[in-house]
Each structure stands twice: as C-alpha cells, then as structure tokens.
Amino acid sequence: MSSGVRELSRRVLNRTLLERQLLARRVPRTPLEAIEHLVAMQAQMPNGPYVGLWARLENFRPDDLTSLLEGRDVVHATMLRRTQHLARGEDFGWLWPTVASIVRKALTDAYYAEQIEGIDLDELARVGRRLLAGKPLHRRELGRLLADRFPGRTPGRLAEAVELLEASVHPPPHCTWGRWGHRNGTPLALADEWLGHPLADAPQPETMVLRYLAAFGPAGVMDIQAWSGLTRLREVVEGLRPKLRSFRDEQGSELFDLPDAPLGEPDRPAPVRLLPAFDNAVLGHRDRTRVISEENRRRITPRASAGVPVFLLDGFVEGTWTLTGDRLHIAPFRPLSDSETAAVQDEAAQLLRFVTPDNTEPTITLT
C-alpha cells in the first residue's frame, strides 16, 4: 500500500461492484433510472437487458422496458465496444459522439475494407442518410438501395458501413422482449430523427468517465478503456484527478472513484443472481477478478464471444445457466453445498416464472 493511499481488497471491490450495479438487493428504481445509472446495457440478444433489469429491480415486468423503447425514452444501437447496447435516449445524445471514433474505426477491418475500398466515405454517409431520411429501413433494404449507387459491392456490408458512419438506432420491435437469441432483419433509423433532437456536436469523455465510475468504480484507466472500447483515456482521467479519490488494489494498481461514492462492506451477505450473457457486472472491467476468478473466466472464454449467462454466488461467478423452452439448466463450476443449491434453485425458479409466466411447473436441472 502506497503512503496515504488505501488498499482495497478483492472482497471490498466485489461488494462495491454489487452495490453500484444494483445487485446487492433488488431496488425500487424505475427501469429508466436503472439504465441511466448503468450508462448502457449490452444488448446483442434483446432479451438480455430484460433479464438484467429483472435481476436488479423490484417488481420489474417486460412491458416496463418495452414501453420505454417504443416511447423512444431508451434506444438500442451500436455504441460501447462497437457492440449493441441500450441507453437512455438523452444519454445516447452525448455517448455516440464520444465513442464514434472507435465505432468508425471498424471500417479499417478487412471485413469492411475490402468492400468500401475506393469509395468516398463522406459520399457513402450522405447517400445513406438521404435514403434513411424520414423512414427506417432494414439493413437488407438499405443495402440493396446502396448497391444501386455503389455497384459491385456487397449490399449488406454497405448498409453496415453506413450504420458505423452515421449515428443510427434500431427501432422496435427488433429490440423488444420476444424470441431468445439474436434477431434477424435489423432495422435502422437516423438517431437524431428518432430522438427528435440533434446529438451533441463534440465528444464528452469527462462525462463518460464520471458516469462510468458511479456505476463501476473504483476502477483503473485500463478498466474504463476496456468497458468503453476507447483508448488514450489516461489524459482524461488525469485531468479529472482533482475531482476524484484514488485507491490501490491488492496488486498495487491505481483505482479512481468519485469522492462521495460509498464502498461495499466485505462481509455483507450477497444474494444469488442469475445474469444474462454480456451483463455489465461481468464485462465492466479489464481486470474482472472482482467478480470472476481467472480460473473460471478461462472456463467460459471459448464460448464468451457467443455470450454466456452466468450466476453469482456470494457475489462471484460460480457457474452458468441455459434456458431451453421452459427448462432452465444450472451448471456450477464446483460442487455446491445443500444451502447453496437451494438458494440457486430458488432464484432459478423465480427467473423461470419471469420468462415463462404461464408455466405452473417450472423445470430446473442442475449438474
């Protein structure tokens, strides 16, 4: 521990993360308040944020989030880490300009570069914006129209390139509660038209860092970069240092936090929680040992890109779960005690009642 700087144990960081992520207990917040606090919720699989909010909020129902998406209070779009997230519409207004540089950088990948080589990207963006003006289009339809203007290119790749160049959202019902897994036929709408107001005209990295720390702190610069997908944030954090307090973790790495943000109590009991694939709590840091051991992280790494739903036991990831129809299967990483098994099965039964409310006899298996 450096002189005058407090060292935080892994359990303190774990309990603090549970508190900041609204997982220490179900809280009486609205879904809009929760999403605003979390900054954004990863949503490649549209049902995922619904389960994530169910795990965090009292009396949450799917219609509570669907109404926000249909009312344009919450939007579904590509943003942090170039992945699909939900964010409050007002937050998307500053968040997109802040992460747009890393989103657009995807165009340098071979997947896109071969199809857009020689195309004036400003012209591609202008054409795409003109085609989307006043009417959402599915990627497939947008791609077909773009291919008429830019022949010899893969239509779908052109549509995806426009999505990276122009701030756009995926309107309902694509992103609402329904079939499990990824959805086909992604629709696109211009973000400023969908929201009814222009987006911020400049990045706001300081806002992003402060909002991140409120939901994920204490955290290091590399954690913020891993969560956002942005690089070179050291200078931003250093500029904010007078407004922050600092700690060290057990390895001596510097962590930053808001000055009045409370820390968790290391001995406080933590409830079992079943989390969806790509949940904020698991992916919010570069060093994820505050919520999952390195050994267990390696267990799920081969499947991680497709998404792995996990469950927390005593605050840490101790296994995975899968849902097939009305059958929920629990796969612990280690043998569970009788009391642990009962607690996990009880939470699993609650999740089944949430996702299959008409099923009177939920089926839960455990191996």
Side-chain angles (χ1 to χ4, degrees):
M1 180 171 63
S2 301
S3 176
V5 178
R6 179 179 172 184
E7 179 182 291
L8 301 180
S9 70
R10 184 164 294 146
R11 285 191 67 86
V12 167
L13 291 174
N14 173 265
R15 289 326 195 239
T16 303
L17 178 65
L18 296 183
E19 291 284 352
R20 304 282 179 94
Q21 285 291 303
L22 314 180
L23 291 168
R25 70 197 70 80
R26 285 186 168 89
V27 297
R29 298 195 188 194
T30 67
L32 189 61
E33 291 169 340
I35 293 170
E36 179 180 21
H37 171 72
L38 297 171
V39 188
M41 299 184 74
Q42 197 159 339
Q44 284 101 309
M45 297 182 184
N47 282 0
Y50 286 84
V51 175
L53 290 170
W54 166 82
R56 291 169 164 88
L57 305 180
E58 292 181 353
N59 304 314
F60 173 74
R61 302 172 304 165
D63 286 348
D64 297 335
L65 176 55
T66 297
S67 64
L68 294 175
L69 289 160
E70 293 175 342
R72 310 189 186 191
D73 299 291
V74 170
V75 296
H76 183 277
T78 300
M79 48 185 111
L80 298 164
R81 301 187 300 279
R82 302 180 193 165
T83 53
Q84 296 179 18
H85 281 71
L86 297 186
R88 187 173 182 177
E90 293 180 10
D91 287 332
F92 186 76
W94 62 262
L95 190 55
W96 164 261
T98 303
V99 301
S101 62
I102 192 65
V103 172
R104 289 169 177 155
K105 192 175 180 180
L107 293 173
T108 63
D109 296 345
Y111 178 81
Y112 294 106
E114 295 175 358
Q115 290 296 318
I116 61 175
E117 183 179 3
I119 293 179
D120 183 325
L121 295 184
D122 290 338
E123 175 66 12
L124 177 60
R126 282 193 296 271
V127 173
R129 185 170 181 85
R130 186 174 68 247
L131 292 171
L132 288 169
K135 57 182 184 306
L137 296 173
H138 280 78
R139 280 180 184 159
R140 180 177 55 257
E141 184 179 4
L142 176 61
R144 179 179 56 79
L145 295 172
L146 289 168
D148 291 339
R149 174 64 178 79
F150 303 97
R153 314 298 174 116
T154 302
R157 212 68 52 82
L158 291 174
E160 292 172 10
V162 167
E163 185 178 352
L164 298 174
L165 290 166
E166 285 288 325
S168 56
V169 300
H170 308 139
H174 174 78
C175 49
T176 56
W177 180 257
R179 182 178 62 82
W180 287 84
H182 299 278
R183 308 282 171 82
N184 297 320
T186 304
L188 298 177
L190 295 173
D192 53 354
E193 287 190 352
W194 185 257
L195 292 170
H197 58 75
L199 277 60
D201 56 7
Q204 298 182 20
E206 293 84 3
T207 298
M208 184 190 72
V209 169
L210 295 173
R211 291 283 299 277
Y212 168 85
L213 291 176
F216 295 88
V221 174
M222 297 299 288
D223 294 318
I224 305 170
Q225 293 184 165
W227 168 80
S228 66
L230 295 173
T231 58
R232 302 179 181 179
L233 291 179
R234 172 71 61 182
E235 183 177 348
V236 175
V237 175
E238 288 297 334
L240 290 170
R241 186 182 284 273
K243 301 179 180 180
L244 305 174
R245 57 176 173 168
S246 62
F247 301 97
R248 297 279 176 183
D249 64 17
E250 293 175 334
Q251 288 70 47
S253 299
E254 186 173 26
L255 307 176
F256 297 92
D257 203 5
L258 302 182
D260 57 351
L263 298 175
E265 300 175 8
D267 298 327
R268 179 169 185 151
V272 171
R273 287 291 180 262
L274 275 68
L275 301 180
F278 308 116
D279 192 84
N280 287 24
V282 182
L283 298 185
H285 301 82
R286 183 173 185 267
D287 179 2
R288 299 172 185 171
T289 55
R290 69 182 67 197
V291 68
I292 182 171
S293 70
E294 186 61 21
E295 177 185 5
N296 287 340
R297 188 192 67 80
R298 287 195 297 267
R299 288 175 186 265
I300 63 175
T301 295
R303 298 175 285 152
S305 62
V308 182
V310 300
F311 68 85
L312 304 182
L313 188 59
D314 190 31
F316 291 87
V317 175
E318 291 290 356
T320 64
W321 61 272
T322 55
L323 180 68
T324 305
D326 58 0
R327 182 184 298 272
L328 198 154
H329 180 70
I330 304 290
F333 294 147
R334 60 171 175 80
L336 304 183
S337 68
D338 290 345
S339 61
E340 289 173 333
T341 298
V344 171
Q345 289 182 325
D346 179 68
E347 186 72 2
Q350 292 188 54
L351 176 58
L352 266 180
R353 286 192 287 271
F354 172 73
V355 300
T356 58
D358 298 328
N359 181 17
T360 57
E361 297 183 6
T363 302
I364 300 170
T365 58
L366 187 149
T367 56

